[in-house]
Amino acid sequence: MSILKAENSKKIGFCDSGVGGLTVYSKFRKLINSEDIIFYGDLKHSPYGNKSKEELISYSRNVFDFFKEQGVKAVVMACNTTSASTYPIIKNEYDFKIYPIIQSCAKIFANMGINKLGIFATESTINSGVYESEIHKYNSNVQIYSQSCPNWVNIVESNSQEDKGSVDIIKSDLDKMLANNPDKIILGCTHYPFLLDILCRYAPPDMFVDPADYFVNYIIEDLKNSDLIDNSFSHKGSEEFYVSANPDKFKVASKMFYNVSEVKLKELD
Ligand code: DGL
């Protein structure tokens, strides 16, 4: 077996604070199902969006050390919050490829021909200013309106999006953003696409951009260019789902988006 063959048959890690990463993984799986994957949801520390940078770096290192032990060939950071705050710090600490969602998609967003771009994201992502700085690297003319939605992740993780209180919160956050008259709004947290049904009751569906739609194509293209795709397409890739807490909660919330059959509990600290 050549070194290359051994490398491309290794697993791919996907991580997020919880079910949000499934909005990325489900789209990846639809395009390519011959890859073996490990998904890690850090529910013990969810939500990430209000944690300090130091805390987030420590969580990311734990998850990436776990992926390293598992011998992955690449990790998809299916989390905007860690892409913004921990990716720049830990990116050189591991010898596998890392795909951070914001940095991987920024060029595409910058060149969408949009003048006024709204960004919905967690407090941590918004405070980092990374969406602005990454997009402006490629196109400084895009006017960006950033807004945090501090309650949305908990609404998704608790599967309570149809409760009246939740709908009111989502609508009020959306109204604030719409007052800027954006051409499009990026759902800059992987949990937010779970709320599209509700958002689309109050704004046209083509107003919203789910970065996952672009991100998964970017990842697959790059894996191919790096000779890291498993070419045995007839083989159905295996899936393992781990969480640091509440496997049952993860299973229930995930149903909205992906059929997760078995969830294992794996604490990392
Ligand atoms: N879904 C993650 C993101 O894309 C983290 C959300 C959170 O846990 O606050 O930012």
Side-chain angles (χ1 to χ4, degrees):
M1 192 187 277
S2 71
I3 294 171
L4 187 61
K5 175 83 183 81
E7 192 62 22
N8 68 10
S9 61
K10 290 178 178 176
K11 297 175 185 177
I12 301 176
F14 281 75
C15 57
D16 188 31
S17 62
V19 288
L22 290 175
T23 61
V24 174
Y25 175 61
S26 59
K27 290 188 173 172
F28 177 87
R29 190 74 174 178
K30 249 187 214 149
L31 295 181
I32 187 157
N33 80 348
S34 50
E35 292 294 323
D36 296 332
I37 74 97
I38 310 180
F39 185 101
Y40 194 89
D42 193 7
L43 266 76
K44 183 172 168 189
H45 303 116
S46 170
Y48 275 1
N50 57 10
K51 300 294 186 303
S52 69
K53 189 168 175 169
E54 289 65 35
E55 285 171 307
L56 292 169
I57 291 169
S58 139
Y59 305 153
S60 284
R61 284 200 175 116
N62 286 340
V63 176
F64 275 59
D65 287 350
F66 170 65
F67 283 141
K68 186 177 169 185
E69 273 167 35
Q70 300 289 316
V72 297
K73 63 184 172 191
V75 170
V76 176
M77 227 183 209
C79 174
N80 292 265
T81 306
T82 54
S83 297
S85 59
T86 77
Y87 170 71
I89 311 289
I90 67 161
K91 66 180 177 183
N92 297 321
E93 297 176 9
Y94 298 89
D95 59 4
F96 42 76
K97 275 216 167 232
I98 304 175
Y99 296 105
I101 186 164
I102 301 177
Q103 294 83 345
S104 303
C105 299
K107 190 174 177 184
I108 301 163
F109 298 148
N111 297 321
M112 280 195 311
I114 300 290
N115 296 321
K116 297 169 91 179
L117 191 57
I119 312 272
F120 278 147
T122 64
E123 283 171 283
S124 173
T125 301
I126 296 299
N127 292 341
S128 75
V130 169
Y131 256 106
E132 286 90 334
S133 58
E134 286 294 318
I135 290 173
H136 284 157
K137 261 188 207 168
Y138 303 102
N139 183 351
S140 55
N141 294 324
V142 184
Q143 217 172 318
I144 296 179
Y145 303 93
S146 299
Q147 187 184 315
S148 67
C149 307
N151 302 301
W152 291 17
V153 169
N154 279 337
I155 289 173
V156 171
E157 290 286 342
S158 61
N159 205 20
S160 65
Q161 58 276 15
E162 290 298 348
D163 294 359
K164 183 171 178 327
S166 302
V167 174
D168 288 349
I169 289 171
I170 296 163
K171 182 170 184 315
S172 141
D173 286 337
L174 176 61
D175 285 345
K176 235 186 276 166
M177 173 59 87
L178 291 176
N180 300 311
N181 216 4
D183 299 315
K184 297 240 181 240
I185 303 169
I186 291 179
L187 301 178
C189 168
T190 54
H191 283 71
Y192 297 175
F194 279 95
L195 303 175
L196 266 170
D197 272 0
I198 295 157
L199 291 166
C200 292
R201 286 176 206 160
Y202 307 107
D206 64 0
M207 169 68 76
F208 302 102
V209 177
D210 178 357
D213 288 328
Y214 303 91
F215 189 33
V216 293
N217 285 308
Y218 173 90
I219 298 164
I220 292 170
E221 203 50 37
D222 192 81
L223 287 170
K224 280 184 185 158
N225 293 338
S226 314
D227 284 325
L228 284 174
I229 280 283
D230 187 341
N231 291 320
S232 49
F233 290 111
S234 55
H235 138 264
K236 186 167 184 300
S238 62
E239 300 178 298
E240 289 166 85
F241 295 91
Y242 292 93
V243 289
S244 50
N246 302 325
D248 294 336
K249 189 176 162 197
F250 180 88
K251 221 169 156 178
V252 171
S254 69
K255 287 286 172 252
M256 254 187 299
F257 232 87
Y258 195 74
N259 192 20
V260 174
S261 46
E262 194 198 343
V263 184
K264 294 178 204 155
L265 183 64
K266 172 93 187 155
E267 279 196 72
L268 300 176
D269 57 8

